[in-house]
Amino acid sequence: QEPLTASMLAKAPPQEQKQMLGERLYHLIYPLHPSLAGKITGMLLEIDNSEVLLLLESPASLRSKIEEAVTVLQAHQAPE
Amino acid sequence: SNGSSISWPPEFHPGVPWKGLQNIDP
């Protein structure tokens, strides 16, 4: 699968851009957190597209962002 | 205490058009 670039994204409508980023993110997150992949992807899609692109290019950054998202998610879902 | 948005975050499903926060029912 070819890397997603800013110019590729720029050609798509905004809604489609998130979809493209989401597909990439989901397939990277799924092997790490199969049960939470959809939620984590949803959280990361709230980030700026340009920042998501950087994450997709940097596995280490993405991994740390995923762990951050998991922590937030678990705290959010934890009963009080 | 209000019923906080327990459904956050919206969930992404591959192949399904992403609607972002609109995925969450009001």
Side-chain angles (χ1 to χ4, degrees):
Chain A
Q1 201 175 27
E2 61 178 320
L4 197 57
T5 63
S7 59
M8 284 165 69
L9 270 190
K11 292 175 190 164
Q15 208 58 44
E16 185 74 13
Q17 292 176 10
K18 290 289 186 190
Q19 182 74 23
M20 291 162 78
L21 291 168
E23 298 283 351
R24 305 286 174 133
L25 284 171
Y26 186 88
H27 288 290
L28 291 170
I29 296 168
Y30 188 82
L32 303 172
H33 297 281
S35 60
L36 294 175
K39 290 281 188 188
I40 297 170
T41 305
M43 288 176 74
L44 298 189
L45 284 177
E46 292 178 10
I47 302 172
D48 239 33
N49 286 2
S50 56
E51 196 178 330
V52 175
L53 274 179
L54 293 177
L55 291 175
L56 288 172
E57 289 169 8
S58 167
S61 304
L62 178 62
R63 224 185 163 93
S64 90
K65 201 73 178 176
I66 291 171
E67 295 314 316
E68 201 180 298
V70 169
T71 305
V72 172
L73 197 54
Q74 287 173 342
H76 183 77
Q77 291 181 338
E80 294 190 13
Chain B
S1 63
N2 56 12
S4 62
S5 54
I6 196 77
S7 55
W8 182 91
E11 193 164 355
F12 180 88
H13 298 279
V16 179
W18 174 247
K19 292 178 187 161
L21 293 174
Q22 294 170 35
N23 280 12
I24 298 178
D25 290 332

